[in-house]
Amino acid sequence: MPALRERIYICPRKNGQPAWILDFPLWWDRREFFEKFGDRRIDTGNPFYVDYGLLLTGSEAKDWDKYCTEALSGDSLSRKPHIVEAMDRLESILKAASWVIVESFEWESGLD
């Protein structure tokens, strides 16, 4: 049974700086994200799977991350050390981001 999964690609503002590929952040509200930015979907044309990308500016991604982080502030998930570390890391990376690409791709879960 196919399932959808997302990754984010973070493109730096300065040449020579590293780009980042990360899993879609756990604290980003997936449903709300696609309601807000879903009209930007660009189909990759894969004939077998539903794969597409969405392009955000670095400042849009920073604003979205801040919004989701604040929305999660009262949740117990926001106090888990590995989540706090991931939030801090992403916030730091997004400060230097020019563009953020969100890739949504279909994969075979093996649960057919």
Side-chain angles (χ1 to χ4, degrees):
M1 168 186 256
L4 288 175
R5 184 168 177 220
E6 286 78 33
R7 271 191 285 251
I8 60 173
Y9 297 79
I10 303 170
C11 306
R13 194 174 298 117
K14 290 185 179 180
N15 286 340
Q17 296 297 310
W20 296 87
I21 302 172
L22 304 168
D23 288 329
F24 194 83
L26 291 172
W27 59 95
W28 282 17
D29 184 320
R30 185 184 182 280
R31 184 175 41 91
E32 193 172 344
F33 178 87
F34 286 103
E35 286 174 5
K36 182 172 178 78
F37 300 109
D39 60 339
R40 300 182 187 193
R41 288 182 185 164
I42 300 168
D43 192 330
T44 64
N46 186 325
F48 302 107
Y49 295 103
V50 177
D51 297 342
Y52 54 87
L54 297 94
L55 182 64
L56 282 73
T57 65
S59 61
E60 285 176 319
K62 282 186 281 193
D63 290 346
W64 180 254
D65 184 61
K66 182 179 178 182
Y67 168 77
C68 291
T69 300
E70 289 173 357
L72 192 68
S73 65
D75 192 295
S76 64
L77 182 66
S78 69
R79 293 186 291 277
K80 295 186 182 233
H82 69 284
I83 298 296
V84 172
E85 182 182 329
M87 287 175 162
D88 291 344
R89 180 177 179 226
L90 182 59
E91 180 183 15
S92 175
I93 292 170
L94 288 175
K95 286 179 183 175
S98 178
W99 297 100
V100 175
I101 300 164
V102 176
E103 175 193 27
S104 182
F105 58 97
E106 195 173 42
W107 58 283
E108 291 292 332
S109 68
L111 298 176
D112 288 10

